[in-house]
Amino acid sequence: MYLLGISAFYHDSAACLLKDGKIIAAAQEERFTRKKHDSAFPSEAIKYCLTEANIDPKELTNVIFYEKPFVKFERLLETYFAFAPRGLRSFCKAIPVWVKDKIFQKTVLVNSLNEVLGSDVDWKGKLLFSEHHLSHAASAFYPSPFRSAAILTLDGVGEWTTASIAVGSNSSLEIIKEIHFPHSIGLLYSAFTYYLGFKVNSGEYKVMGLAPYGKPIYAKLIRDHLIDVADDGSFHLDMRYFEFATGLTMTSKKFDGLFGAPPREPETLLTQRDMDLAASIQSVTEDVVVRLGKNIREITGEKYLCLAGGVALNCVANGVLRREKIFDDIWVQPAAGDSGGALGSALVAWHLYCGSDRSITTDSDGMFGSYLGPKYSNEQIEQQFLACGAKFEKFDDRELIERTAEALVEEKAIGWMQGRMEFGPRALGARSIIADPRSPRMQKQLNLKVKFRESFRPFAPSVLAEDADDWFEEGDASPYMLFVSNVKQDKRLEIDAKTDLFGIDRLNVTRSLVPAITHVDYSARLQTIHKETNPVFHALVSCFKEKTGCPMVVNTSFNVRGEPIVCNPTDAFRCFMGTDLDVLVVGNYFLRKGDQNSDLFDKYQEKYDLD
């Protein structure tokens, strides 16, 4: 039985294909269209999934959409009525779009399926709908290694729900508690993302990365005025400070007055106040997550916890929750945001609609390292490189690893593309930019010359799983880069108090033996590399360890700011040529920047000229 799950029409559209409950393929639409956070119907992702499985559309048993659009429309109407006459402008802008496209979304979905997969199938009869938070919960529990677990979902909003607690046992899954819109910890965090001048639904990572440069001096102000948090973690927002329910912005004039200024203009200089605001909302979020965790353990009695929803991508909060030791173990869905809803909806259909049993492997999960996207053969890679005019060498597996490790030792910045593309927002060693973490200049260099992004943004270490405990205080398995851990004391360097600067200036202080991955608070967003799921990446880092004694590399996503992670060899070459990457390694092909045709530099660097 083949089940196709779809998420679309908000942000991060995606498709996922199951065969008899096993994940065959999953990918976000943005990787194919090259439109960051593409919300369109995932036509290309669907085509990929069917190609990967080598099946005809007629073989699909059902197609499942990840939420119920009409219930979402109900929430929109009731919200406007509840806040009337506030929000009239927003209402007049939103309603025509809903009437035209979204109320009749079932028809839109059927027409889109007809266009992509052909009209000789009764797609209307095959189409099913899940609920938004049920899809999230299913994506977190069913692929987890736990037979029984509690599930916490936190995001902006689904149909009505913004936070939910569920319990899963074998194949059953039941949501037992919910918090409803407009009270949302996800939207509160996004409100600060907006207020700090970053883009909502993508800039939340920046707020999290900025927080360690500040102090949570506004946390009490947030708790006293914006959010009332109960002992059990439930929360209530004072909507006088927000406009997201009915307005065209996230925050209100009253919010500006509380913090003494209007929102920061994007791209302007960050101040210590901005850093303190980021630290404050991060602190409040961590407090809510921990309180919810304690309550969940108390009311469910479950020893294990699964996490999903956009807030579950806050790896700092996840790390705090894990350090509290409330649960024996925590598992986070790597595609925790809306893209993972495609996977969750298919799993809802398999287990809850079809009543199928669940296969559980307690020593691993069901995500296969999240390497669920397309892969390219050496023949396909060479064809695309020749079409681009690339100059390359081809090595056998052993020589390729040796050459790449040598380039890392020489402090080269390397574009690395191997095997199947990752599903979810993190690069996990399949579509990554990698570098030597021992280099004190590498973080700033990669941010400014390769990623074209703010210099304060931290980079993650990808460390051999067997060596993680030697370098990090919480060296537990973290294959999906969804937990923050601290660099161990014996790997830190003493800092002269006179050089321990404030704000962004702290970036220039070398704090550990691996400064390129050590944030200003000694934390690191850890990925553990497992030979079973990514043998090629494991072999590379093992070779680098043999040469240097360092069992890790810098790992950041293979893209530049504003562009999705690369998908195919052509994407990789364009990014390589348009940035200051030194080396590109794709499949068995090794490319040096200095070997490339000089005529190509202007062509590709003009694309990434952001000055």
Side-chain angles (χ1 to χ4, degrees):
M1 177 184 288
Y2 289 98
L3 297 172
L4 178 68
I6 295 173
S7 63
F9 307 133
Y10 183 46
H11 60 88
D12 295 305
S13 296
C16 174
L17 184 69
L18 304 185
K19 179 183 180 182
D20 297 333
K22 179 182 177 181
I23 308 169
I24 299 299
Q28 297 105 296
E29 184 71 0
E30 66 166 19
R31 305 295 172 85
F32 305 97
T33 63
R34 312 309 300 157
K35 298 176 183 177
K36 188 78 168 177
H37 302 301
D38 197 345
S39 63
F41 184 80
S43 302
E44 299 305 315
I46 290 171
K47 292 175 186 175
Y48 154 68
C49 287
L50 269 64
T51 299
E52 183 67 34
N54 192 28
I55 62 170
D56 187 271
K58 295 177 182 178
E59 297 180 66
L60 291 173
T61 306
N62 289 105
V63 178
I64 311 93
F65 194 63
Y66 80 127
E67 64 181 8
K68 295 184 175 179
F70 200 82
V71 180
K72 212 167 190 177
F73 179 64
E74 174 190 82
R75 185 249 298 168
L76 181 77
L77 283 180
E78 289 194 23
T79 299
Y80 279 121
F81 286 141
F83 285 89
R86 284 177 59 191
L88 180 61
R89 283 181 59 213
S90 176
F91 178 82
C92 293
K93 185 176 181 180
I95 288 301
V97 176
W98 274 92
V99 170
K100 181 182 177 183
D101 295 322
K102 298 191 178 184
I103 296 181
F104 306 106
Q105 207 158 77
K106 185 171 185 177
T107 301
V108 173
L109 288 166
V110 169
N111 290 340
S112 298
L113 288 166
N114 284 334
E115 184 176 337
V116 175
L117 300 178
S119 57
D120 53 344
V121 175
D122 176 20
W123 296 115
K124 186 176 182 179
K126 289 179 179 283
L127 190 59
L128 302 173
F129 293 84
S130 178
E131 293 180 349
H132 189 102
H133 268 242
L134 183 61
S135 295
H136 275 316
S139 77
F141 174 63
Y142 289 125
S144 80
F146 310 138
R147 292 190 181 279
S148 177
I151 308 112
L152 173 61
T153 298
L154 294 169
D155 64 3
V157 61
E159 292 91 353
W160 274 105
T161 308
T162 65
S164 66
I165 298 168
V167 175
S169 179
N170 294 321
S171 295
S172 68
L173 193 158
E174 180 184 6
I175 293 177
I176 61 173
K177 189 175 181 180
E178 296 180 336
I179 297 174
H180 288 171
F181 184 86
H183 308 293
S184 167
I185 191 66
L187 289 174
L188 175 64
Y189 204 95
S190 291
F192 276 87
T193 301
Y194 164 82
Y195 187 70
L196 288 168
F198 302 124
K199 189 174 181 180
V200 172
N201 291 327
S202 64
E204 285 77 5
Y205 297 128
K206 300 181 183 181
V207 176
M208 184 177 67
L210 189 63
Y213 293 96
K215 295 181 179 180
I217 61 176
Y218 298 103
K220 186 177 186 302
L221 196 65
I222 294 171
R223 293 187 183 98
D224 288 347
H225 294 274
L226 302 185
I227 182 170
D228 180 25
V229 185
D231 289 341
D232 66 357
S234 59
F235 47 82
H236 187 280
L237 301 186
D238 186 336
M239 293 308 298
R240 294 176 299 171
Y241 292 91
F242 304 97
E243 291 290 342
F244 60 74
T246 56
L248 300 175
T249 61
M250 292 296 295
T251 57
S252 69
K253 295 295 183 182
K254 192 173 181 66
F255 189 105
D256 299 351
L258 183 64
F259 295 104
R264 168 181 167 262
E265 287 293 326
E267 308 298 333
T268 57
L269 184 68
L270 286 162
T271 66
Q272 187 60 50
R273 173 180 171 275
D274 299 322
M275 300 169 206
D276 293 339
L277 283 166
S280 300
I281 187 56
Q282 180 64 33
S283 174
V284 170
T285 301
E286 291 165 11
D287 177 55
V288 170
V289 169
V290 169
R291 291 194 195 196
L292 283 168
K294 291 178 178 177
N295 178 250
I296 290 168
R297 180 63 191 257
E298 181 180 342
I299 65 175
T300 67
E302 295 291 341
K303 297 188 296 182
Y304 301 105
L305 179 69
C306 301
L307 296 175
V311 178
L313 294 171
N314 191 312
C315 51
V316 179
N318 295 347
V320 170
L321 182 60
R322 186 156 73 171
R323 285 194 291 275
E324 289 286 324
K325 303 292 185 183
I326 301 165
F327 297 93
D328 291 3
D329 200 1
I330 299 173
W331 191 86
V332 187
Q333 166 54 238
D338 276 9
S339 60
L343 166 61
S345 66
L347 290 167
V348 166
W350 175 247
H351 291 292
L352 300 182
Y353 181 78
C354 298
S356 304
D357 291 334
R358 180 169 171 240
S359 177
I360 305 165
T361 305
T362 55
D363 60 350
S364 65
D365 61 46
M367 289 297 294
F368 306 101
S370 210
Y371 304 112
L372 299 168
K375 62 181 182 295
Y376 297 86
S377 67
N378 279 330
E379 291 75 16
Q380 291 172 313
I381 294 166
E382 184 165 331
Q383 287 175 1
Q384 292 195 32
F385 280 168
L386 289 172
C388 291
K391 306 293 183 183
F392 52 80
E393 294 178 274
K394 184 180 181 184
F395 299 118
D396 62 27
D397 295 348
R398 184 174 179 179
E399 181 71 7
L400 184 86
I401 293 296
E402 180 71 21
R403 296 284 184 122
T404 307
E406 287 176 359
L408 287 168
V409 174
E410 295 167 359
E411 295 193 35
K412 305 296 186 185
I414 301 172
W416 173 261
M417 175 179 160
Q418 298 290 331
R420 296 185 71 175
M421 183 177 67
E422 303 92 339
F423 179 52
R426 308 293 196 212
L428 303 171
R431 303 291 188 276
S432 294
I433 291 172
I434 56 176
D436 186 345
R438 302 170 303 155
S439 170
R441 64 187 183 88
M442 193 56 68
Q443 179 186 6
K444 194 168 185 178
Q445 178 178 317
L446 286 177
N447 268 327
L448 297 179
K449 294 188 176 182
V450 177
K451 299 286 285 186
F452 301 139
R453 68 184 194 183
E454 301 89 348
S455 63
F456 71 83
R457 302 277 295 279
F459 288 107
S462 288
V463 59
L464 298 174
E466 55 269 31
D467 291 308
D469 273 333
D470 294 334
W471 286 79
F472 299 96
E473 290 181 352
E474 301 85 23
D476 299 333
S478 179
Y480 303 122
M481 208 183 284
L482 286 167
F483 293 95
V484 160
S485 183
N486 293 316
V487 175
K488 276 198 165 180
Q489 289 287 345
D490 65 342
K491 302 299 190 293
R492 301 181 187 183
L493 300 176
E494 287 191 21
I495 299 174
D496 187 334
K498 295 179 181 178
T499 63
D500 197 12
L501 307 172
F502 293 99
I504 298 297
D505 290 336
R506 297 168 66 193
L507 179 67
N508 300 319
V509 178
T510 301
R511 297 174 178 275
S512 80
L513 299 178
V514 280
I517 59 86
T518 304
H519 209 7
V520 293
D521 58 354
Y522 296 101
S523 68
R525 180 161 47 97
L526 183 65
Q527 181 207 3
T528 51
I529 310 170
H530 301 260
K531 188 175 182 178
E532 297 78 15
T533 52
N534 197 332
V536 178
F537 197 36
H538 190 277
L540 172 64
V541 180
S542 297
C543 185
F544 181 71
K545 178 189 175 184
E546 290 174 8
K547 294 177 181 296
T548 65
C550 181
M552 73 187 80
V553 295
V554 174
N555 178 9
T556 186
S557 55
F558 195 166
N559 67 317
V560 298
R561 183 176 65 165
E563 184 175 89
I565 294 174
V566 302
C567 177
N568 60 42
T570 300
D571 299 333
F573 184 73
R574 287 172 176 166
C575 190
F576 170 61
M577 291 299 293
T579 64
D580 281 351
L581 284 172
D582 302 299
V583 171
L584 175 63
V585 183
V586 181
N588 287 90
Y589 295 86
F590 191 93
L591 292 75
R592 298 177 184 83
K593 180 64 67 66
D595 295 341
Q596 304 310 309
N597 189 321
S598 59
D599 292 343
L600 295 176
F601 283 84
D602 291 341
K603 173 182 177 181
Y604 289 111
Q605 290 185 354
E606 183 179 354
K607 170 180 171 60
Y608 294 122
D609 184 7
L610 303 182
D611 294 334

